[in-house]
Amino acid sequence: MPLHKGPVKPEPDRRLALNPFFGEANPVGGMTEAPPHHQLPEGPLPPMSAYQLVHDELMLDGNSRLNLATFVTTWMEPQAGVLMAECRDKNMIDKDEYPRTAELERRCVAMLADLWHAPDPATAVGCSTTGSSEACMLAGMALKRRWAKKNADRYPGSARPNLVMGVNVQVCWEKFCNFWEVEARLVPMDGDRFHMDAQSAAELCDENTIGVVAVLGSTFDGSYEPVAEICAALDALQERTGLDVPVHVDGASGAMVAPFLDEDLVWDFRLPRVSSINTSGHKYGLVYPGVGWALWRSPAELPEELVFRVNYLGGDMPTFALNFSRPGAQVVAQYYTFLRLGREGYRAVQQTTRDVARDLAERIEAMGDFRLLTRGDQLPVFAFTTAPDITSYDVFDVSRRLREHGWLVPAYTFPANREDLSVLRVVCRNGFSADLAQLFIEDLRRLLPELRSQPHPLSRDKATVTSFHH
């Protein structure tokens, strides 16, 4: 259906089905018909009536706490909610009018620069964004601009820039390549390798490569790409050919997991070839959507011409985000969470989440009907498929039946070279407790006898049953 397509036929008259107690003054006065859905009503409604109409319709949404598809934070402490409510009317871009909100953003950047081992956290540059998608766009723009300046004699004439990444990257990178006219060079999956490897990345690089994107935590299966090995392969490439290809780490999820649980894993600014990193504060940064972060190792990695200095509302304001007006609430919530948890608090939260993921994966494997692809021992995320001898149902049947119990578990087919493989993926987040995991296992066990008794898988059109969109 085209975007924003309205109803083909006018809506029939509908009675306004509202509890009379929600009326004001006269409980039944004016309650003759419901307002239209696809055009503005002729007149206003009492606030409680409008609230109840919207509230009741939203009850049909899924329960976000039971959504095992999303990486996005679905629970925060009440105090964080209060702070966000107090700041939702502050425009993040008005740094001159809201200097303390701007200062909290600056502190968050400094904390992340220190967490990710920037050579000099005091000089590392970065900003908040609406999420990792915007942060990736900014990082890609910086990579392309730096490459274009180095190749000014060939670009935009004969040279066409390209970006090397695995086929498992988040769709925002495909958008970047489309919007900014960059060739996407994708490393396909191969056998049981579900993400990019170092050798394949280096082989795709040439004099027109603006950078390599390494993903710390693939959304397909939760695995880390080998950032250090990729950097080493690019070091060797430079020794052989002179090509100096920078690396951007898409740490949308893993950049807020690895620093606390995998401290010996070298993936960040400790690697000189890593020029920039992004993360989603609203994923394992433990903040409600939407906030992301983009950081560069030093000002040299962010071309000055991408930084706009705007005289806005009485102040000179440098900005290099794509979006302009957005609420400051999420940035404040990020600072609250950093302050509230500290390193040890984050370590405890992420370790608990990983423990839940690993235990749940093992219990699913023990059922005998499923084969694990990953085990939740990197991101607290794991993917699994049906065992080879299971012919009566498939992963799409499982996803559909779990939805009947309120669980949202995505089923999807892997991309090029492994399109034969369809999987289920479970994302464990803060708030998905061991008790909820137990309820999930019980519901899954309860479904298996019925699924095993089917004559064949019931999901025929895989394009319509998949629930993987992020």
Side-chain angles (χ1 to χ4, degrees):
M1 177 182 293
L3 290 176
H4 313 302
K5 181 177 175 62
V8 176
K9 297 180 180 179
E11 295 181 73
D13 290 340
R14 294 179 297 116
R15 297 288 296 178
L16 180 59
L18 199 66
N19 189 325
F21 284 105
F22 291 117
E24 295 188 4
N26 179 358
V28 296
M31 295 178 65
T32 57
E33 72 177 49
H37 281 164
H38 299 283
Q39 64 188 54
L40 286 173
E42 291 300 320
L45 284 174
M48 198 62 209
S49 299
Y51 165 82
Q52 197 65 32
L53 285 169
V54 178
H55 171 83
D56 287 354
E57 187 164 347
L58 289 175
M59 288 194 299
L60 297 176
D61 270 348
N63 185 328
S64 64
R65 290 283 298 281
L66 302 183
N67 185 357
L68 302 185
T70 184
F71 285 77
V72 171
T73 296
T74 56
W75 181 88
M76 290 188 76
E77 293 174 313
Q79 292 84 349
V82 171
L83 274 174
M84 294 181 75
E86 293 172 351
C87 299
R88 61 191 171 196
D89 59 338
K90 295 182 180 180
N91 189 353
M92 188 68 226
I93 208 67
D94 298 347
K95 300 182 188 299
D96 188 56
E97 295 198 349
Y98 307 118
R100 301 321 301 170
T101 303
E103 169 62 14
L104 298 190
E105 179 188 32
R106 189 192 66 80
R107 292 180 191 175
C108 287
V109 168
M111 289 177 176
L112 289 171
D114 178 68
L115 184 68
W116 296 338
H117 300 96
D120 182 2
T123 63
V125 291
C127 66
S128 66
T129 61
T130 53
S132 272
S133 293
E134 182 187 0
C136 291
M137 298 287 173
L138 296 175
M141 289 165 57
L143 290 174
K144 183 180 178 183
R145 186 60 59 92
R146 288 170 58 199
W147 172 86
K149 289 175 70 175
K150 289 182 180 179
N151 295 273
D153 58 327
R154 300 187 305 117
Y155 179 80
S158 60
R160 184 188 180 195
N162 65 73
L163 184 65
V164 173
M165 49 197 170
V167 71
N168 57 298
V169 290
Q170 216 269 356
V171 69
C172 68
W173 287 107
E174 298 176 38
K175 287 184 178 180
F176 165 77
C177 290
N178 187 0
F179 295 165
W180 272 271
E181 298 182 331
V182 173
E183 176 192 356
R185 292 191 172 178
L186 301 176
V187 175
M189 295 182 177
D190 183 23
D192 291 332
R193 176 179 60 75
F194 304 124
H195 56 230
M196 181 172 64
D197 66 304
Q199 180 180 350
S200 299
E203 289 174 352
L204 287 179
C205 293
D206 59 23
E207 68 275 7
N208 294 329
T209 301
I210 66 174
V212 172
V213 176
V215 180
L216 196 71
S218 171
T219 58
F220 278 89
D221 63 358
S223 61
Y224 294 161
E225 289 188 336
V227 182
E229 293 177 19
I230 292 169
C231 288
L234 295 176
D235 290 342
L237 178 69
Q238 184 175 9
E239 290 179 9
R240 295 194 310 271
T241 66
L243 294 177
D244 184 10
V245 180
V247 169
H248 171 79
V249 177
D250 183 350
S253 295
M256 292 305 297
V257 174
F260 307 109
L261 302 187
D262 307 298
E263 295 181 76
D264 295 332
L265 180 68
V266 179
W267 62 273
D268 53 16
F269 290 128
R270 286 171 288 184
L271 299 166
R273 196 164 291 277
V274 172
S275 64
S276 51
I277 301 172
N278 71 275
T279 197
S280 294
H282 60 223
K283 291 181 180 174
Y284 288 98
L286 308 181
V287 175
Y288 286 138
V291 60
W293 300 93
L295 269 71
W296 290 262
R297 86 165 30 247
S298 73
E301 277 73 29
L302 179 63
E304 176 62 27
E305 60 267 28
L306 292 181
V307 181
F308 286 81
R309 300 187 180 278
V310 183
N311 187 340
Y312 185 68
L313 296 180
D316 178 66
M317 178 196 63
T319 177
F320 45 96
L322 292 177
N323 288 308
F324 212 57
S325 295
R326 56 189 173 88
Q330 284 81 2
V331 169
V332 171
Q334 184 73 84
Y335 182 71
Y336 164 85
T337 307
F338 284 168
L339 195 66
R340 167 77 173 89
L341 292 178
R343 287 178 181 260
E344 288 304 315
Y346 263 98
R347 184 172 293 111
V349 169
Q350 312 297 40
Q351 185 63 61
T352 299
T353 306
R354 180 180 281 181
D355 290 345
V356 169
R358 293 177 67 175
D359 179 68
L360 187 57
E362 291 174 2
R363 296 169 74 182
I364 289 175
E365 183 180 42
M367 292 179 177
D369 283 41
F370 303 103
R371 176 174 68 88
L372 293 179
L373 277 66
T374 49
R375 296 179 173 273
D377 52 359
Q378 293 184 330
L379 286 189
V381 174
F382 62 94
F384 60 102
T385 188
T386 49
D389 59 334
I390 297 297
T391 58
S392 59
Y393 66 90
D394 59 17
V395 295
F396 301 98
D397 291 329
V398 177
S399 177
R400 185 184 64 253
R401 292 301 308 276
L402 284 170
R403 187 178 287 265
E404 295 172 6
H405 292 261
W407 302 104
L408 307 179
V409 181
Y412 52 94
T413 301
F414 270 24
N417 281 22
R418 287 312 315 265
E419 292 167 317
D420 60 305
L421 182 60
S422 298
V423 305
L424 294 152
R425 187 198 64 199
V426 171
V427 178
C428 297
R429 304 178 308 277
N430 184 36
F432 182 64
S433 63
D435 288 341
L436 283 176
Q438 175 62 31
L439 294 175
F440 175 79
I441 282 289
E442 291 173 1
D443 282 338
L444 182 57
R445 283 201 184 106
R446 198 173 293 119
L447 293 173
L448 288 183
E450 297 178 30
L451 290 170
R452 290 166 182 156
S453 66
Q454 293 181 177
H456 53 72
L458 302 182
S459 303
R460 294 303 187 189
D461 185 357
K462 303 298 189 291
T464 61
V465 297
T466 181
S467 55
F468 178 77
H469 300 292
H470 53 85

